[in-house]
Amino acid sequence: MIEYMSIAAGEILTPTVIGYIILGVLIGYIVGALPGMNRTTAIALAIPFTFTMPPAAALSFLIGINKGGAAGAAVSAILLNVPGEPSAVVTTYDGYPMTKQGKAQKALVIALVASVVGDLLATVVLILLAQPVARFAIGLGPIELASILIFSITFIAAVSGDSFYKALIAGILGLLLSAPGIDIETGLPRMTFGLLELYDGIPLLAVAIGTLALSEILVQIDEGWRGDHRYPQVAADKAKDSEPVFGMKDAVQVAPSILRGSLVGTLVGILPGLGATLASFLAYTWVRQSSKTPEAFGKGAPEGVAASESADNATVPAALIPVFAIGVPGSLSTALLMGAFMMHGLTPGPFLFKESGSVVFGIYLGMLLASAALLLVGLFGQRIFSMVIQIRKSVLLPVIVFLCIVGAYMEAGGMFGVYLMLVFGFVGYFMKKFDYSFVTFVVGYVLGPMAELTIRQSLIISDSNPAALIDHPIAILFLLLAVFSIWRFAIAGARSMQIDRAATPTDEPSDTPPEGGDR
Amino acid sequence: MKRYLHTATRLLTRRMAMAALAGSAVALAAAPGSTARAAEWPTEPITIVVAYPAGGGTDISIRALTDALGEKLGQPILVQNVGGAGGGVAATKVAKDKPDGYTLLATNSTSITLAPLVQKALYDMDSFEHVAIIGEFQNAFFTGTKQPYDTLDGLIETVKSENRAIKGASQLALDRLVMQYIAKERGVEFIPVPVSGGSGSVQAVMAGDVDVAFSGGSWAPIVKAGDAKALFAASYERLKLAPDLISMKELGFPFGVTSHISLHAPAGTPKEIVDKIAAALEPAVQSEMVQNVGEKRFMDMTYRGGDAAAAVMMKERETYEALVKTVGATN
């Protein structure tokens, strides 16, 4: 063990390797921050460049890209209301209002700290508990996953924002959007209109880039035309003179949210196929629900940013746990990393330690260094990126549109993806205009395919007999939680609508900056 | 003043745009187009369209050989992942592409041989020149350690004695067909539990939810680790990387299924070019990187080019035609 560690340290703690790790995080951070660009593609493109590196350095570099990407996505979410990746969509809820209040710098630092802490905690879980945790996770079959997903879907009602019914409608539309594609059970195409491109469903990234990024640009163009420059032209660090950007008070305020976010992110990350978007969504909802001031959320609550970002980043190392321990990848980016393991002569899975212990320690060390590098890159990167909000819109918006198109082309099947992205850009625009929650829409869409697969699997496995649940206590637990959450959110939501209607006849979202998250 | 500047820049950009347009027109006129002769090929980068998302077995083996292949051909190799419809989207795209050797398709051979038989496809076997087979997945059926049986016969007996159907994790039309055939032959019912990919099969087996599962290689590491049991190889002959595993031939079946990693060019690509690619591929497949990936990923990376490859593809096609006929279902 000690011997492995010293070999690993000797291999990793060299200027070149540290340089690679910082470079990886930097690439990831930039790719993450650019709307439309996705870290999975960045990893795929970077793999050939790692062939000449020693294995531990190569993998630390690639994991660094992944980590940087998860953190970088918050930057554009906070500054521009355009999430760099779908998983940062919940960050826009509170991050962008903070920017509008002149607290961009603070929001960015909180997001970064949350990312780094979430990342670090999940990395520690990976290092210490990979085997037992992965064993536990793999024992969770379709029935458990299905119940977790059903529970997650009920959370859509909890983030309803201003309008409960509209958020619900958007969420269900999102779920329905996962209907086209090959039916998983019969193998027959369903609602594909004969388009081969739709056989695997509507590409997620085309939908995400359109509804999350392009739609925001359309909204801003629209508002520019009407002479209403909602875009914050304030200098990013207005609060500098009076108080520190991130002080002790802030740390105490967001610490519980970060811990909760890290926990949710780690758990969701370990489970196959659930992904970072769900993690940040669940973490945000949990933190909001347990907050003493849930009404401050969505209007610039730092806790919201902290919860979403810590969960997003925690999924990155957590998703590697099943890869290291059993050799089963849970997501596209981990499947890519697993490929990289193999190209470097490592066999992910139970024998990884026995066969290449020193390399594994090297990767662990590299991952910890990547967390540190993330803090470094983030602190410097934010200074540069936060200037973005002072750029003239006529320069900035075309660049983002360009990135959206390139992103959709690369990640969602060529021109078909671009057309879809444009269509969903307009869909998202009207959703924003009419105050339908595009977040619940995207979350519904992200959950849809996985929920369908696991629920149908469960039905086949259990012969559609609910008595089979008796053997699955974890599933029962989540189903009970789902019932509780429906009861809690649905009734509260419906009631709040009635009160709202009585109180305010207009449903125009108010633009007055509310007080931040100070309690 | 500001307004004047504005107009000036607009004029400037318009003029620049015109110039650019004119420039590209000249470039177009001067370009040799697709008439570049086969003898000079390749004069520009070659794109290999991988029919699956990045990270899969086909993708990894192609990415592992691009360096060596590019060096041999003297042009860089670009890898483009076009996933969808189990390889169908990429195959359709390449089948319609120019047959100039600059666009190639890397796929699982079943997407060419089997897919047009069982789903609506805009291409068929003869839409392609079959350049080479660069490797073989090690298809096998496996099950969890808690199951009381170690063989196919044991599995059949168990479900018969419990008077129920076999539930099997199914990721492809291929494994579904084989299991349906076996179930029909042995007089039991087979219910497929859809899973996504080899990792889905592994999960279903390790969670103990299915009686049997199929994968093209994901089974090997967990069987080695003692977390699962291999039942039998899906190929006719024994698997090269798992020679101890009983094969379909020995179980008394008249066929077996083997998925190949294959490379194709659009039909009509000049034979000289196809031969050139094939000749460069052979050493690339034998390179250390590719062999290494094959070993780790549990794929048998053996090169077969030209007529040998086409013959293997034809044989595959005949097997699937017979199989689809016997099972009778189109799913």
Side-chain angles (χ1 to χ4, degrees):
Chain A
M1 200 82 147
I2 302 288
E3 185 194 340
Y4 282 158
M5 283 184 202
S6 61
I7 297 175
E11 205 174 290
I12 292 291
L13 296 174
T14 65
T16 333
V17 174
I18 293 177
Y20 277 136
I21 293 172
I22 294 177
L23 182 70
V25 172
L26 184 67
I27 293 173
Y29 198 78
I30 294 171
V31 168
L34 296 177
M37 303 287 119
N38 192 278
R39 60 188 188 239
T40 311
T41 315
I43 295 171
L45 291 177
I47 285 177
F49 295 102
T50 67
F51 286 164
T52 52
M53 302 181 193
L59 289 156
S60 309
F61 170 76
L62 294 172
I63 296 171
I65 295 182
N66 213 346
K67 289 185 166 194
V75 174
S76 42
I78 289 171
L79 294 176
L80 305 172
N81 205 18
V82 172
E85 296 198 6
S87 58
V89 58
V90 194
T91 310
T92 60
Y93 262 3
D94 286 291
Y96 188 61
M98 286 181 80
T99 299
K100 283 204 285 185
Q101 294 158 24
K103 293 188 199 157
Q105 208 55 267
K106 178 181 255 185
L108 287 173
V109 174
I110 287 173
L112 180 66
V113 171
S115 295
V116 172
V117 174
D119 188 289
L120 207 56
L121 288 178
T123 308
V124 170
V125 173
L126 164 67
I127 294 175
L128 298 180
L129 297 171
Q131 278 296 341
V133 165
R135 294 270 140 195
F136 172 73
I138 200 85
L140 301 180
I143 296 180
E144 282 83 5
L145 286 177
S147 59
I148 292 174
L149 283 159
I150 291 171
F151 169 66
S152 307
I153 288 171
T154 65
F155 263 46
I156 287 178
V159 253
S160 51
D162 289 328
S163 167
F164 175 72
Y165 292 118
K166 284 183 177 177
L168 219 54
I169 290 171
I172 289 169
L173 283 179
L175 279 173
L176 282 178
L177 200 60
S178 58
I182 292 201
D183 183 281
I184 43 179
E185 209 175 314
T186 60
L188 297 173
R190 186 174 67 191
M191 286 174 71
T192 57
F193 304 102
L195 291 172
L196 208 57
E197 287 91 345
L198 286 180
Y199 271 34
D200 282 351
I202 296 174
L204 169 65
L205 281 160
V207 175
I209 296 171
T211 42
L212 302 183
L214 186 68
S215 67
E216 179 62 23
I217 306 305
L218 294 173
V219 167
Q220 301 207 358
I221 291 172
D222 180 26
E223 276 163 7
W225 244 321
R226 292 161 201 255
D228 169 20
H229 283 271
R230 201 181 61 164
Y231 229 56
Q233 299 284 344
V234 279
D237 41 357
K238 213 172 71 179
K240 191 164 62 181
D241 40 345
S242 57
E243 50 182 297
V245 168
F246 185 73
M248 208 49 212
K249 193 170 140 257
D250 299 299
V252 172
Q253 190 188 352
V254 298
S257 314
I258 294 182
L259 289 180
R260 283 185 181 159
S262 310
L263 181 67
V264 172
T266 308
L267 292 178
V268 172
I270 296 164
L271 296 174
L274 300 188
T277 310
L278 178 63
S280 56
F281 173 73
L282 288 181
Y284 179 86
T285 319
W286 185 27
V287 167
R288 192 180 103 148
Q289 287 303 320
S290 57
S291 161
K292 283 184 208 127
T293 54
E295 67 281 356
F297 281 72
K299 293 167 189 159
E303 295 98 325
V305 174
S308 150
E309 278 309 301
S310 52
D312 184 1
N313 255 74
T315 56
V316 173
L320 286 172
I321 289 175
V323 174
F324 273 79
I326 330 180
V328 177
S331 69
L332 191 56
S333 59
T334 45
L336 265 175
L337 284 172
M338 204 166 125
F341 271 88
M342 292 166 177
M343 288 192 204
H344 283 282
L346 305 169
T347 315
F351 294 98
L352 186 60
F353 262 98
K354 281 177 215 152
E355 285 172 2
S356 20
S358 67
V359 180
V360 174
F361 274 104
I363 296 170
Y364 285 168
L365 197 57
M367 286 178 74
L368 292 173
L369 283 176
S371 298
L374 185 56
L375 193 62
L376 195 77
V377 167
L379 282 178
F380 282 101
Q382 289 180 349
R383 300 250 165 101
I384 299 163
F385 274 116
S386 57
M387 288 180 217
V388 160
I389 53 174
Q390 294 168 49
I391 295 176
R392 244 183 39 208
K393 272 203 253 182
S394 51
V395 176
L396 187 62
L397 300 190
V399 173
I400 299 179
V401 172
F402 169 76
L403 289 172
C404 288
I405 292 173
V406 173
Y409 185 87
M410 290 199 317
E411 333 237 349
M415 280 317 287
F416 181 74
V418 176
Y419 298 139
L420 265 182
M421 189 273 294
L422 293 174
V423 168
F424 280 100
F426 283 96
V427 170
Y429 168 77
F430 284 110
M431 289 179 77
K432 284 184 173 175
K433 280 307 229 187
F434 294 115
D435 199 27
Y436 282 86
S437 166
F438 58 97
V439 174
T440 54
F441 178 74
V442 169
V443 169
Y445 182 55
V446 168
L447 293 181
M450 192 69 188
E452 189 197 345
L453 178 68
T454 54
I455 290 172
R456 292 182 76 169
Q457 285 175 334
S458 308
L459 290 177
I460 298 174
I461 289 169
S462 64
D463 293 316
S464 305
N465 181 1
L469 279 174
I470 291 166
D471 296 334
H472 299 268
I474 296 175
I476 294 178
L477 173 73
F478 275 99
L479 289 175
L480 288 177
L481 282 173
V483 171
F484 173 74
S485 116
I486 290 173
W487 175 69
R488 169 100 172 60
F489 299 138
I491 292 179
R495 198 173 290 158
S496 79
M497 282 305 289
Q498 278 164 2
I499 295 167
D500 277 2
R501 207 171 293 151
T504 51
T506 167
D507 54 311
E508 195 70 22
S510 80
D511 243 11
T512 46
E515 35 161 348
D518 316 296
R519 295 189 204 157
Chain B
M1 176 66 195
K2 202 174 171 193
R3 185 176 208 163
Y4 169 75
L5 254 178
H6 203 77
T7 326
T9 34
R10 196 187 289 165
L11 270 176
L12 209 67
T13 42
R14 187 176 298 168
R15 186 173 301 167
M16 268 153 56
M18 299 277 276
L21 215 75
S24 57
V26 170
L28 264 178
S34 54
T35 52
R37 263 162 303 162
E40 288 157 17
W41 186 93
T43 55
E44 35 181 294
I46 298 151
T47 303
I48 298 185
V49 178
V50 173
Y52 307 93
T58 308
D59 178 67
I60 290 179
S61 42
I62 293 297
R63 284 180 194 271
L65 62 69
T66 49
D67 270 4
L69 183 64
E71 213 166 277
K72 277 270 168 229
L73 293 173
Q75 285 288 341
I77 310 289
L78 311 175
V79 177
Q80 188 187 8
N81 296 91
V82 180
V89 176
T92 310
K93 180 179 144 78
V94 175
K96 284 191 292 196
D97 220 305
K98 257 183 282 170
D100 56 7
Y102 290 109
T103 312
L104 304 172
L105 171 71
T107 188
N108 182 327
S109 56
T110 48
S111 75
I112 308 285
T113 52
L114 174 60
L117 294 176
V118 292
Q119 67 184 39
K120 189 192 131 201
L122 303 172
Y123 61 89
D124 206 347
M125 285 282 282
D126 49 17
S127 308
F128 300 97
E129 309 289 338
H130 310 297
V131 179
I133 285 169
I134 64 169
E136 240 177 65
F137 289 104
Q138 305 288 291
N139 291 342
F141 288 91
F142 62 111
T143 190
T145 42
K146 286 188 202 126
Q147 309 292 7
Y149 41 83
D150 300 300
T151 58
L152 176 65
D153 290 337
L155 165 68
I156 303 281
E157 267 168 44
T158 307
V159 294
K160 272 188 175 163
S161 68
E162 292 172 12
N163 198 18
R164 62 183 179 91
I166 301 177
K167 281 181 188 160
S170 159
Q171 42 164 326
L172 303 161
L174 174 67
D175 57 78
R176 208 169 287 197
L177 274 176
V178 175
M179 271 317 292
Q180 271 162 349
Y181 179 91
I182 293 174
K184 200 170 183 178
E185 175 106 316
R186 300 289 173 100
V188 289
E189 201 195 335
F190 173 71
I191 300 177
V193 178
V195 295
S196 78
S199 56
S201 292
V202 169
Q203 260 166 317
V205 160
M206 288 184 74
D209 288 321
V210 292
D211 300 311
V212 62
F214 168 93
S215 94
S218 307
W219 59 272
I222 62 157
V223 166
K224 197 175 153 208
D227 290 325
K229 296 184 282 195
L231 291 178
F232 58 99
S235 52
Y236 188 58
E237 303 285 347
R238 290 196 172 204
L239 294 172
K240 198 164 167 192
L241 300 186
D244 298 337
L245 198 56
I246 193 165
S247 72
M248 291 286 278
K249 183 180 171 186
E250 291 156 283
L251 287 169
F253 295 106
F255 72 97
V257 292
T258 305
S259 320
H260 298 97
I261 304 172
S262 52
L263 219 71
H264 310 262
T269 306
K271 191 168 184 318
E272 280 168 70
I273 293 180
V274 172
D275 290 346
K276 232 179 201 171
I277 305 170
L281 264 174
E282 185 160 15
V285 174
Q286 280 149 7
S287 71
E288 199 193 331
M289 177 81 85
V290 175
Q291 291 302 320
N292 220 339
V293 164
E295 190 191 313
K296 299 293 172 193
R297 186 94 194 194
F298 212 66
M299 299 178 293
D300 167 23
M301 301 305 288
T302 306
Y303 170 89
R304 267 164 292 177
D307 296 340
V312 171
M313 299 284 294
M314 262 336 279
K315 182 94 207 305
E316 237 184 89
R317 172 59 159 236
E318 284 160 16
T319 305
Y320 296 143
E321 273 171 355
L323 198 51
V324 170
K325 212 179 202 174
T326 316
V327 174
T330 50
N331 61 356

